[in-house]
Amino acid sequence: MAIKIPQTISSEIADKYTTENNTFITKEKEYETEIGDIKQPDFIPQIKIKRWDNECNASFRLVDDEQTAPTVSTDSEKIAWSNTKKDIKFYDIGIGEGGGFEFEIILKEKPKTNIIQFTIQSKELEFYYQPALTQDEIDEGCERPEDVVGSYAVYHKSKANNKYKAGKAFHIYRPKIIDNVGTEVWGELNIENDIMTVTIPQDFIDKAVYPVRHAAGATFGYTSVGASVNSSGTEDIWVAQYLSSEAGTITSMSSYNYLDSGSGNIKLVIYDDSSDEPNNLQANSSAVAISSTQEWVSGSVSASISAANYWLGFSTDSTPVRWRYDSNSTLTRYKAGSTYYTTVPDPYPASPTTIDGRTQSVYVTYTASGTTTSTSSTTTTTSSSTSSSTSSSTTTTSSSTSSTTSTTTTSSSTSSSTSTSTTTTSSSTSSSTSTSTTTTSSSTTTTQTGTTTSSSTSTTTTSSSTSSSTSSSTTTTSSSSSTSSSTTTTSSSSSSSSSTSSSTTTTSSSSSTSSSTTSTSSSSSTTQTETTTSSSTSSTTSSSTSTTTTSSSTSTTTTSSSTSSTTTTSSSTTTTSSSTSTTTTSSSTSTTTTDLDALYIRGKKVY
């Protein structure tokens, strides 16, 4: 039996989710969450959390052996899955920095086993178990809430800082199970070998009044902040080790600090590393104000870093400061003093106290090194020619009629091209020929000696002159997938002309000038090549005993038009022919930005 989401859903769900393939997808994208499995045809009791544009994600699917088919519905702000023995509710909860999400399982009757199991699939994430605090940690002033004891902090495997902040993706809190009369017990959460289990004490299972709520109680906190709290003394300086995988320039630092009451100040600091110990001061901020409000505070810090270990942290003034952290294997140091806030020590004080295994909620904002910009352009200007002729002759009268028709052709193509760079240089001497796309002209000329009918068709327009030119062009073609279309506009023109000419002797002289300028540069990344405009124009007026045609053609990438007219006058005529073609090719700018793995937290992988 197919398990489908309902056709009609509550307005609250419609406001928060889109639906696709029997899956609910949140419209909010910072913590994009899918309820169901978009790859499956049926609705599946699963939650998938995506971070940083799906760079990291994790899905948790209930393992259920119940044979009866479930139903799916929506009720106000909750998505519900239900069969004969259990209900599942999916809904938002207002906890922590960014809220959270509840994958609640309700047992309608005593289950066969006291263990509820989920399969896990994850990408680029590490899961860190948060144990109960030791007595030394408690004496030191650390605090770990009950729902954090036995929970998991989930971090990016390799990245922190900038948009990743301290690198924390989300938190999975320890579940509290509650029966129908309010009896409560903590479940035991465990993640290992791509399986998450919640173990409920057997005694509770045996004595509970059903239904039992939060039987799994998979509570996911959408937060970038550590779930535990530590406290400093006065004039202390606290730092933790982080790794920068590539070079960059730090512009600011941020830390999650607050006070129990009142106000105070900290200075944010960064030290380099020597044999896994903080060493020379690289930079520190000026005073950063903090209060009893729990929040990220930031200060300007300027420092250049390379691919190496660094120590990030803060120094405190005369007021003890609270700060947030999660447990893992990160190296942490602190040193108590009396002037460490007034004058930040350089180098770091000798013989600091070692407190390893704490990821402080601190990060830097930086600009990565390795940005490359290149430009490639080629411009070719070619061919200018001028000819003049003078003739005298006996008077002859002729008339001609010419018509020009251009047929419209439209084509489109899609292609994937491979980057090729070709440089061609050519030198030629020719009786000037300039062409115009698809021009057909015909004329009939009547002279004293008879009638001559001529027709000509050219695929490329011709202008008369004699020129010697050398052209050099560089063509750069980039790898791209493109779609192009070409349209040639249909046009027609007609002209009539009458001419009177006299002459037996014709003297003509012509001169031509051809210039070509090519500038080329190369780029290493993405290059776009575009041909802008190519035009060719020729005009001829002459005195002769034959038809004289003046033609003009202009071609601009995809469209060309041609017009032809004839005018002849008697006595002497000066003819000027000019052909100019300008091609502008390939101007591109590519920017390559290396997305740093940047600074990340060193920690022990749990599973």
Side-chain angles (χ1 to χ4, degrees):
M1 178 180 175
I3 306 168
K4 307 298 182 182
I5 64 175
Q7 293 295 316
T8 303
I9 60 177
S10 68
S11 59
E12 294 87 350
I13 293 298
D15 288 342
K16 291 183 178 180
Y17 299 88
T18 60
T19 58
E20 182 180 348
N21 199 28
N22 284 304
T23 301
F24 297 88
I25 305 168
T26 57
K27 295 178 180 179
E28 194 278 323
K29 298 303 180 184
E30 183 178 0
Y31 292 89
E32 183 177 345
T33 305
E34 292 181 4
I35 311 304
D37 186 346
I38 200 168
K39 298 177 182 178
Q40 301 299 322
D42 292 336
F43 181 84
I44 302 295
Q46 172 181 292
I47 178 173
K48 183 175 185 178
I49 301 170
K50 302 178 183 180
R51 289 304 322 270
W52 306 297
D53 297 322
N54 204 27
E55 185 176 328
C56 302
N57 66 56
S59 61
F60 304 83
R61 179 180 296 187
L62 176 67
V63 177
D64 182 65
D65 61 359
E66 176 63 41
Q67 299 302 312
T68 58
T71 60
V72 182
S73 62
T74 61
D75 179 15
S76 185
E77 296 184 351
K78 296 182 179 181
I79 298 165
W81 178 101
S82 180
N83 66 16
T84 57
K85 294 184 178 180
K86 64 176 68 69
D87 291 333
I88 300 174
K89 301 289 181 68
F90 302 92
Y91 53 92
D92 291 330
I93 52 175
I95 60 171
E97 177 192 25
F101 203 88
E102 187 78 20
F103 189 159
E104 181 184 5
I105 296 178
I106 302 169
L107 300 177
K108 296 180 179 179
E109 59 185 47
K110 182 179 177 180
K112 296 177 183 178
T113 174
N114 66 329
I115 299 175
I116 296 175
Q117 183 172 287
F118 302 81
T119 59
I120 300 177
Q121 290 185 337
S122 65
K123 180 175 76 171
E124 292 298 309
L125 292 172
E126 296 277 15
F127 296 74
Y128 295 104
Y129 183 69
Q130 306 297 295
L133 296 176
T134 66
Q135 188 59 50
D136 287 342
E137 290 171 326
I138 294 171
D139 293 343
E140 183 189 319
C142 294
E143 298 176 7
R144 179 157 288 167
E146 283 188 292
D147 60 348
V148 177
V149 175
S151 68
Y152 284 84
V154 186
Y155 279 77
H156 195 300
K157 273 188 176 179
S158 60
K159 293 183 181 180
N161 306 298
N162 284 356
K163 68 178 182 180
Y164 306 99
K165 295 186 178 178
K168 188 170 185 177
F170 54 90
H171 201 101
I172 308 173
Y173 293 94
R174 181 170 63 149
K176 178 183 283 189
I177 298 99
I178 309 168
D179 77 357
N180 200 42
V181 293
T183 305
E184 299 177 349
V185 65
W186 289 106
E188 180 184 331
L189 183 66
N190 184 66
I191 295 175
E192 187 174 7
N193 299 326
D194 295 334
I195 298 293
M196 181 174 79
T197 58
V198 175
T199 302
I200 306 171
Q202 186 63 51
D203 185 62
F204 178 87
I205 288 289
D206 294 338
K207 297 177 181 179
V209 178
Y210 291 86
V212 169
R213 298 175 52 243
H214 293 280
T219 302
F220 300 90
Y222 296 157
T223 180
S224 60
V225 179
S228 300
V229 180
N230 205 347
S231 298
S232 74
T234 60
E235 296 279 343
D236 284 355
I237 184 164
W238 290 80
V239 290
Q241 187 190 58
Y242 298 86
L243 173 65
S244 170
S245 60
E246 293 188 31
T249 302
I250 295 174
T251 56
S252 69
M253 286 182 63
S254 301
S255 183
Y256 202 91
N257 298 90
Y258 60 97
L259 304 173
D260 287 334
S261 62
S263 61
N265 295 284
I266 60 171
K267 290 181 180 178
L268 300 165
V269 300
I270 178 170
Y271 287 85
D272 65 11
D273 179 272
S274 177
S275 301
D276 286 337
E277 293 294 336
N279 191 28
N280 296 316
L281 180 68
Q282 301 300 295
N284 64 266
S285 71
S286 56
V288 176
I290 56 175
S291 67
S292 58
T293 301
Q294 298 188 33
E295 61 184 351
W296 290 101
V297 295
S298 302
S300 296
V301 174
S302 179
S304 296
I305 56 174
S306 58
N309 286 326
Y310 289 89
W311 295 75
L312 308 179
F314 56 88
S315 62
T316 64
D317 63 7
S318 57
T319 305
V321 171
R322 297 276 201 171
W323 53 276
R324 301 288 285 273
Y325 75 97
D326 286 315
S327 292
N328 62 16
S329 58
T330 302
L331 303 180
T332 306
R333 303 287 183 269
Y334 87 90
K335 184 74 174 181
S338 58
T339 61
Y340 291 157
Y341 175 81
T342 305
T343 304
V344 177
D346 184 15
Y348 194 84
S351 303
T353 301
T354 297
I355 306 177
D356 290 338
R358 299 180 191 177
T359 300
Q360 292 180 208
S361 294
V362 60
Y363 69 94
V364 299
T365 300
Y366 64 92
T367 301
S369 299
T371 301
T372 303
T373 303
S374 62
T375 302
S376 170
S377 62
T378 303
T379 303
T380 306
T381 304
T382 310
S383 177
S384 169
S385 68
T386 304
S387 68
S388 62
S389 63
T390 305
S391 66
S392 62
S393 65
T394 57
T395 302
T396 303
T397 303
S398 64
S399 63
S400 66
T401 302
S402 64
S403 63
T404 301
T405 303
S406 173
T407 303
T408 302
T409 303
T410 303
S411 64
S412 64
S413 64
T414 302
S415 63
S416 177
S417 63
T418 304
S419 173
T420 306
S421 176
T422 305
T423 303
T424 305
T425 304
S426 65
S427 176
S428 65
T429 302
S430 63
S431 292
S432 69
T433 304
S434 83
T435 63
S436 159
T437 305
T438 318
T439 303
T440 305
S441 64
S442 63
S443 65
T444 304
T445 306
T446 304
T447 66
Q448 288 178 337
T449 60
T451 301
T452 302
T453 302
S454 63
S455 64
S456 65
T457 302
S458 60
T459 302
T460 334
T461 298
T462 316
S463 67
S464 66
S465 70
T466 301
S467 64
S468 176
S469 63
T470 301
S471 65
S472 174
S473 68
T474 300
T475 304
T476 303
T477 306
S478 64
S479 174
S480 64
S481 177
S482 64
T483 302
S484 65
S485 62
S486 171
T487 303
T488 307
T489 306
T490 303
S491 63
S492 64
S493 65
S494 63
S495 65
S496 63
S497 64
S498 61
S499 62
T500 303
S501 63
S502 61
S503 180
T504 307
T505 304
T506 302
T507 304
S508 65
S509 63
S510 69
S511 61
S512 66
T513 303
S514 173
S515 62
S516 174
T517 303
T518 304
S519 60
T520 307
S521 64
S522 63
S523 65
S524 62
S525 185
T526 303
T527 305
Q528 295 179 335
T529 303
E530 181 181 352
T531 301
T532 310
T533 304
S534 171
S535 65
S536 172
T537 305
S538 84
S539 172
T540 307
T541 307
S542 66
S543 134
S544 66
T545 60
S546 64
T547 303
T548 303
T549 303
T550 302
S551 65
S552 172
S553 106
T554 302
S555 172
T556 306
T557 307
T558 57
T559 306
S560 68
S561 63
S562 173
T563 304
S564 148
S565 64
T566 306
T567 305
T568 308
T569 59
S570 60
S571 297
S572 65
T573 305
T574 299
T575 303
T576 302
S577 171
S578 176
S579 173
T580 303
S581 173
T582 302
T583 305
T584 302
T585 307
S586 172
S587 177
S588 69
T589 302
S590 68
T591 303
T592 304
T593 304
T594 303
D595 183 13
L596 289 185
D597 284 347
L599 304 172
Y600 73 88
I601 303 165
R602 300 176 61 229
K604 180 179 179 182
K605 183 175 180 181
V606 176
Y607 83 99

